Amino acid sequence: MARILIIDDEESVGVALRQVFEYEGHKVHLCPNGPSALLDYPEFDPDVTFLDVKMPNMDGLEVLERIRNDHSGAVVIMISGHGTIGTAVEATRKGAFDFLEKPLDTNRLLVTLRNALMVRGLSDSVERLTHEIEIHHGIVGGSRAIKRVLQDIEKVGATDAPVLITGENGTGKELTARALHRRSTRTEQRFVEVNCAAIPSELIESELFGHVRGSFTGAVADRVGKFEQAHKGTLFLDEVGDMSLAAQAKVLRALQGGDITPVGGARPVSVDVRVIAATNKDLGEQIEKGAFREDLLHRLNMVTIRVPALRERLEDIGMLVAHFANLTPGSYGVPYKRFADGALEALKEADWPGNVRQLKNAVARLMILSGGDAVEGRDVNQLVSPGGPDAGVPGSMLALETLNEFKDAAEKAFVAGKLREHDWNVSEAARRMGMPRSNLYKKIEKYGLQRD
């Protein structure tokens, strides 16, 4: 166990850091300003200090200088929301061990702490942190199912092999893709994401390959596509199963030859990208329906990583809740609340059709709305379980991140329901919904709706 001193005038930052480090088993002491830290430092005798640069009365650089003057072996890591090269150089000159910029990435934070503890010679803490960093990658859990995913990431990440990530909505497919990118030799280059389901079919080619001015109505200037943006880096094709056949053909050509041609362009452009794709659909079934190219699937799934649903890793719920509870104060400005055993049991017994994303939202909701200093089982029953605010709303929709995504999902469900109700009589359905028939046809095309 290491002793960690945090000096920051922003209470939410200090609390969030304390929760991260206490979760790893360390002893943490908070100071809200420089003068109080200078008084507490000798008595607490920290192994590592995290020190904010911008503070009232006495800034971090002055505190750093005084700590180093009085304690030459002090290991101090500077943190700042307004980091500049000049500030970093000055901090290093005054003896800072490292310099981190806000918002603080948990994985980078743990790596820096591990390195600092190595300097202090705290081998036990280093070994524990090394293990935690290995299982993190932003992915939390210790179940056999999630360990298989992490092992695959370690094996495949360092290669340039295309990877297909499968799994239900909210399981963590994007986190897996980002972990693969961080593990790769392209980690210093760009990670470019394309949500194939969110882009209208008529614009997907322009989005992927770019276009030249005047190539279609609205193309008032040349535009670089996602393939070019990801040159030398990683291109993540999320929900690739929703891509149009025309776009699939172009993607296949790009993967085969390494060249793409912008819409309306005459000359191909060479690109070097690693493609990672993800889908919540069964692409084998899509191939049988004629909605997905078999040759493209063979190109994309040289390696397939399946991310398990939360119901397949219920033993991870305790770790996930602790992780999300640590993040919530910094994200929403609410005080930290522990989860009682009854609350954890209730969460394990609940259904999670929206998987980890839905659980994350539920943890934040419970910490915001529950009374008292701890989240109890009754809070879960009232705020999460059937009969609470979520009743009647599909978990897959609650798992969506943004309001626009929720609106699109709700509109799609509403339109599909009305079409079924009127036996796909488009004119009658449009009349009952109070919209022009042409608008309804556009929505049918937008959401790829088909009669059963």
Side-chain angles (χ1 to χ4, degrees):
M1 179 179 71
R3 294 183 305 279
I4 300 174
L5 176 64
I6 299 170
I7 310 169
D8 199 311
D9 62 313
E10 292 185 60
E11 183 179 1
S12 62
V13 174
V15 170
L17 288 174
R18 181 176 65 188
Q19 298 303 330
V20 170
F21 296 140
E22 286 183 345
Y23 179 72
E24 304 297 339
H26 302 299
K27 184 176 181 180
V28 180
H29 181 67
L30 293 182
C31 286
N33 53 57
S36 66
L38 294 175
L39 290 174
D40 292 353
Y41 191 97
E43 183 177 351
F44 184 64
D45 190 23
D47 297 303
V48 179
T49 298
F50 286 83
L51 172 59
D52 189 25
V53 172
K54 296 292 184 181
M55 293 187 295
N57 301 325
M58 183 184 295
D59 72 10
L61 292 177
E62 182 180 350
V63 176
L64 168 66
E65 189 170 21
R66 294 181 61 171
I67 287 176
R68 292 283 298 175
N69 285 340
D70 295 338
H71 310 274
S72 59
V75 177
V76 182
I77 298 165
M78 305 300 293
I79 55 177
S80 175
H82 311 280
T84 65
I85 293 176
T87 305
V89 170
E90 180 67 9
T92 303
R93 189 182 65 80
K94 291 180 181 293
F97 175 78
D98 205 342
F99 189 94
L100 301 178
E101 291 186 66
K102 298 178 184 177
L104 297 169
D105 175 76
T106 301
N107 200 53
R108 173 75 191 281
L109 198 63
L110 294 176
V111 169
T112 304
L113 177 59
R114 180 189 65 181
N115 295 339
L117 293 177
M118 289 177 67
V119 171
R120 298 287 290 174
L122 300 179
S123 57
D124 290 343
S125 296
V126 169
E127 184 177 350
R128 181 170 59 251
L129 270 171
T130 298
H131 174 69
E132 291 298 327
I133 292 163
E134 285 175 351
I135 72 166
H136 266 71
H137 284 309
I139 302 170
V140 176
S143 64
R144 182 177 298 179
I146 209 65
K147 282 181 177 177
R148 280 197 297 267
V149 173
L150 292 163
Q151 288 168 1
D152 289 342
I153 290 171
E154 292 301 313
K155 291 177 184 176
V156 181
T159 74
D160 262 353
V163 179
L164 177 65
I165 304 170
T166 64
E168 299 175 8
N169 281 336
T171 51
K173 297 190 293 295
E174 181 186 345
L175 277 178
T176 303
R178 290 184 180 275
L180 286 166
H181 175 68
R182 286 197 299 271
R183 184 70 180 83
S184 74
T185 57
R186 300 171 182 261
T187 185
E188 299 299 325
Q189 305 300 323
R190 296 190 66 182
F191 177 92
V192 179
E193 179 183 359
V194 181
N195 187 333
C196 300
I199 303 170
S201 57
E202 63 270 18
L203 296 179
I204 187 71
E205 292 183 41
S206 171
E207 189 75 14
L208 289 173
F209 310 113
H211 61 249
V212 299
R213 186 178 65 177
S215 55
F216 55 85
T217 303
V220 296
D222 292 353
R223 179 179 179 180
V224 174
K226 299 295 187 182
F227 263 88
E228 278 192 82
Q229 292 176 28
H231 182 57
K232 298 294 184 181
T234 301
L235 178 66
F236 176 46
L237 300 176
D238 196 12
E239 303 303 349
V240 70
D242 293 282
M243 188 184 296
S244 69
L245 287 170
Q248 289 177 36
K250 284 200 170 186
V251 169
L252 180 62
R253 286 197 295 273
L255 295 179
Q256 288 173 333
D259 295 329
I260 58 102
T261 302
V263 176
R267 297 181 179 178
V269 178
S270 294
V271 291
D272 172 17
V273 299
R274 182 196 192 173
V275 173
I276 299 174
T279 183
N280 61 358
K281 293 185 175 181
D282 185 330
L283 294 185
E285 290 184 1
Q286 294 296 103
I287 289 171
E288 291 180 6
K289 293 178 181 177
F292 201 83
R293 296 179 61 112
E294 186 173 7
D295 48 2
L296 178 57
L297 176 59
H298 294 323
R299 280 281 177 178
L300 293 175
N301 75 337
M302 182 177 293
V303 177
T304 299
I305 296 178
R306 178 182 173 273
V307 185
L310 187 54
R311 63 180 175 275
E312 300 173 51
R313 43 181 296 220
L314 293 177
E315 62 266 44
D316 288 336
I317 283 183
M319 289 181 66
L320 287 163
V321 169
H323 178 66
F324 295 143
N326 287 333
L327 297 179
T328 298
S331 299
Y332 298 99
V334 297
Y336 173 80
K337 294 180 183 179
R338 69 178 183 85
F339 279 69
D341 291 343
L344 291 174
E345 288 304 314
L347 289 170
K348 289 178 182 178
E349 293 173 3
D351 291 328
W352 300 105
N355 294 294
V356 177
R357 187 184 297 155
Q358 184 186 2
L359 177 64
K360 178 182 179 182
N361 294 341
V363 169
R365 185 186 309 121
L366 286 165
M367 291 181 68
I368 292 169
L369 298 179
S370 62
D373 297 329
V375 178
E376 305 288 347
R378 63 177 178 272
D379 298 316
V380 177
N381 295 330
Q382 292 172 359
L383 299 171
V384 174
S385 297
D390 299 345
V393 182
S396 58
M397 290 174 64
L398 289 171
L400 297 172
E401 285 288 335
T402 68
L403 180 60
N404 284 336
E405 288 177 328
F406 181 87
K407 286 179 178 178
D408 283 345
E411 184 178 66
K412 179 180 179 180
F414 176 74
V415 170
K418 287 299 181 183
L419 288 167
R420 285 194 299 270
E421 180 183 333
H422 297 287
D423 196 27
W424 272 77
N425 184 326
V426 176
S427 297
E428 180 62 16
R431 186 181 69 80
R432 296 297 291 270
M433 284 189 284
M435 68 167 62
R437 185 174 60 178
S438 59
N439 283 5
L440 181 53
Y441 275 118
K442 290 179 181 178
K443 293 189 183 298
I444 291 171
E445 181 181 359
K446 174 183 178 181
Y447 297 120
L449 299 176
Q450 296 180 346
R451 186 169 186 168
D452 295 336

